[in-house]
Amino acid sequence: MKRSELATMAPGPAGIDPAALTREQLLGWRCALCGTLLAGDRPLGTVTVSQGPTLTTYPLWACDPNCATEHAWRAAIGHAAGCEACRTGECATGQRLLDAYSAAFRQEHAGGAG
């Protein structure tokens, strides 16, 4: 299916644009949120895509545990590893990334993941 032939019906769960999903994401091989190969997964909902007169509904899957938490943690650690100011506790960017991770972690463990 060519990208130009795809016409989407409506935004998917979490505001996902169905036209932006790859074939692997539509088929459940990769996370619909971050695109990584799925090892553990959780359902997100469905999207309906039209191709000519045909409508196809695809179930979407995301990383489990929550990929938002994992990506926030990797961003914070990746930044801190090369940032001299983070070592002294004076880096606003590092603090912002750590705050984003903390918020994602709290949301995931409060049952708000997804």
Side-chain angles (χ1 to χ4, degrees), residues 63 65-76 101 104 108:
C63 297
N66 189 346
C67 57
T69 305
E70 178 70 19
H71 287 293
W73 176 248
R74 288 178 190 226
Y101 164 71
E108 179 178 353

Side-chain angles (χ1 to χ4, degrees), residues 3 11-47 58-68 71 114:
R3 188 79 52 204
I16 294 172
D17 176 9
L21 296 171
T22 65
R23 179 176 182 271
E24 291 82 12
Q25 287 171 310
L26 288 171
L27 294 176
W29 302 338
R30 293 186 175 271
C31 176
L33 299 173
C34 71
T36 60
L37 282 173
L38 290 171
D41 53 30
R42 60 190 164 93
L44 281 181
T46 62
V47 294
Y58 296 94
L60 296 182
W61 300 90
C63 297
D64 190 23
N66 189 346
C67 57
H71 287 293

Side-chain angles (χ1 to χ4, degrees), residues 86-102:
C86 280
R87 294 187 184 113
T88 62
E90 301 171 3
C91 179
T93 300
Q95 187 60 53
R96 180 183 51 77
L97 291 169
L98 189 56
D99 290 344
Y101 164 71
S102 296

